[in-house]
Amino acid sequence: LEKLLVGSQDHIIRQSDQINNYNTCIVIMAAIVGKGVRNLCNALCALPCRCCECICMTPRKLGSAICCSPLGPYITVTVIFNLPVLLIGCQLPFYEHKNSLKVTWMILMAIFSILHILAALYMIIRIRNASDEAMSDLSKSYSRTRYLLCHDIGIAVYILVCICYVIWLIMGCVWYEDNGYRIEEVDIMATCLAMGWFYIFLGPLSLCCSMCVTARFDRNNYSNSQTYNRW
């Protein structure tokens, strides 16, 4: 009888240990699942805030980069005289047209406008990039701008684009005739021509002014991360 009682007690103890181990595994699994669900909920709840922050911060960083850039006047002039042409080109597909030649001319003018803006942004990004290996030995924005204008392949291609742009403007003047091209009593072709010719003269002028101001007043050291904050 005594052996029977001892065996039953051992059996009960083993079952109790098994039950405790099983309960411990359940608790651990519940904790892991609960933590995963909590992290997922936190991520989903924070997603709209992060998206809003990204949407709001990107224009602010870009605006800060443009305003604080050594080529700020140049990018400002580029946007002012090319954005209207780009908007006109975006509106053309929504109207019926009689003269496809003039429409094609304005669409290509809109494409040129995009290239002008992208080229200006490209120069700003390259100048402000302190980790640019091609200009690692150039610390001043004036020397970096001069390097881009004289030695960069991208800017060399853009100069060829500018030559084609001038030729395209001349062709637009030939095709303009007397009435131009009107939509809702607005001569949009004349607007494109005016913006284009203004930019041909004011764009290089603003670039030269930006370089002169930069050479005189810019104190940023773009090769030293301690004196320059990257964006």
Side-chain angles (χ1 to χ4, degrees), residues 88 91-92 97 105-106 181-183 186-193:
I88 290 174
Q91 294 177 358
L92 288 175
H97 306 288
W105 182 85
M106 286 184 285
Y181 195 90
R182 297 179 178 273
I183 292 180
V186 177
D187 193 344
I188 58 175
M189 189 173 182
T191 302
C192 292
L193 282 170

Side-chain angles (χ1 to χ4, degrees), residues 59-79 117-129 135 140-142 144-145 148 206-222 228-231:
R60 192 181 75 174
K61 289 183 178 180
L62 182 60
S64 175
I66 293 174
C67 294
C68 300
S69 169
L71 299 183
Y74 172 63
I75 183 63
T76 302
V77 170
T78 300
V79 172
I117 296 174
L118 291 179
L121 292 176
Y122 169 78
M123 292 183 65
I124 288 178
I125 293 173
R126 288 291 304 275
I127 291 172
R128 292 174 60 90
N129 185 10
M135 297 184 292
K140 298 300 181 181
S141 56
Y142 175 79
R144 285 176 162 239
T145 304
L148 290 176
S206 62
L207 179 60
C208 293
C209 292
S210 298
M211 293 184 65
C212 292
V213 173
T214 297
R216 179 65 179 85
F217 296 104
D218 188 23
R219 296 293 181 267
N220 286 323
N221 184 359
Y222 293 96
Y228 172 66
N229 295 322
R230 303 177 189 177
W231 61 282

Side-chain angles (χ1 to χ4, degrees), residues 3 5 15 24 47-48 57 66 70 72-73 123 133 137 143 151 168 173 176 184 188 201 204 210 222-223:
K3 292 181 179 180
L5 291 175
Q15 287 185 342
T24 302
L47 183 61
M57 289 295 293
I66 293 174
M123 292 183 65
E133 296 181 358
D137 57 334
S143 57
H151 302 286
W168 196 243
C173 294
Y176 179 76
E184 297 179 357
I188 58 175
F201 293 102
S210 298
Y222 293 96
S223 63

Side-chain angles (χ1 to χ4, degrees):
L1 181 61
E2 183 178 357
K3 292 181 179 180
L4 181 62
L5 291 175
V6 172
S8 62
Q9 288 178 353
D10 293 338
H11 180 69
I12 293 172
I13 291 173
R14 286 195 298 270
Q15 287 185 342
S16 177
D17 291 339
Q18 291 177 356
I19 293 173
N20 290 334
N21 292 334
Y22 179 73
N23 291 336
T24 302
C25 292
I26 293 177
V27 170
I28 294 175
M29 291 179 62
I32 294 174
V33 173
K35 185 177 180 180
V37 173
R38 185 185 64 183
N39 292 337
L40 179 61
C41 292
N42 291 337
L44 292 176
C45 293
L47 183 61
C49 296
R50 291 182 179 179
C51 293
C52 182
E53 181 181 0
C54 180
I55 294 173
C56 296
M57 289 295 293
T58 301
R60 192 181 75 174
K61 289 183 178 180
L62 182 60
S64 175
I66 293 174
C67 294
C68 300
S69 169
L71 299 183
Y74 172 63
I75 183 63
T76 302
V77 170
T78 300
V79 172
I80 288 176
F81 289 101
N82 286 282
L83 188 59
V85 179
L86 178 59
L87 294 177
I88 290 174
C90 293
Q91 294 177 358
L92 288 175
F94 299 98
Y95 295 91
E96 295 182 359
H97 306 288
K98 298 179 181 179
N99 193 323
S100 59
L101 183 62
K102 294 181 179 179
V103 173
T104 303
W105 182 85
M106 286 184 285
I107 291 176
L108 280 178
M109 283 292 292
I111 295 175
F112 277 120
S113 298
I114 296 175
L115 295 177
H116 290 318
I117 296 174
L118 291 179
L121 292 176
Y122 169 78
M123 292 183 65
I124 288 178
I125 293 173
R126 288 291 304 275
I127 291 172
R128 292 174 60 90
N129 185 10
S131 60
D132 195 320
E133 296 181 358
M135 297 184 292
S136 59
D137 57 334
L138 302 176
S139 60
K140 298 300 181 181
S141 56
Y142 175 79
S143 57
R144 285 176 162 239
T145 304
R146 187 175 59 183
Y147 172 85
L148 290 176
L149 294 176
C150 298
H151 302 286
D152 187 69
I153 297 178
I155 298 301
V157 174
Y158 175 64
I159 292 174
L160 296 178
V161 171
C162 290
I163 295 174
C164 296
Y165 181 66
V166 174
I167 296 174
W168 196 243
L169 277 174
I170 296 173
M171 294 178 67
C173 294
V174 174
W175 294 336
Y176 179 76
E177 298 175 353
D178 295 332
N179 297 326
Y181 195 90
R182 297 179 178 273
I183 292 180
E184 297 179 357
E185 302 302 324
V186 177
D187 193 344
I188 58 175
M189 189 173 182
T191 302
C192 292
L193 282 170
M195 292 293 175
W197 285 113
F198 272 118
Y199 180 69
I200 284 296
F201 293 102
L202 295 181
L205 179 61
S206 62
L207 179 60
C208 293
C209 292
S210 298
M211 293 184 65
C212 292
V213 173
T214 297
R216 179 65 179 85
F217 296 104
D218 188 23
R219 296 293 181 267
N220 286 323
N221 184 359
Y222 293 96
S223 63
N224 188 350
S225 60
Q226 295 180 354
T227 59
Y228 172 66
N229 295 322
R230 303 177 189 177
W231 61 282

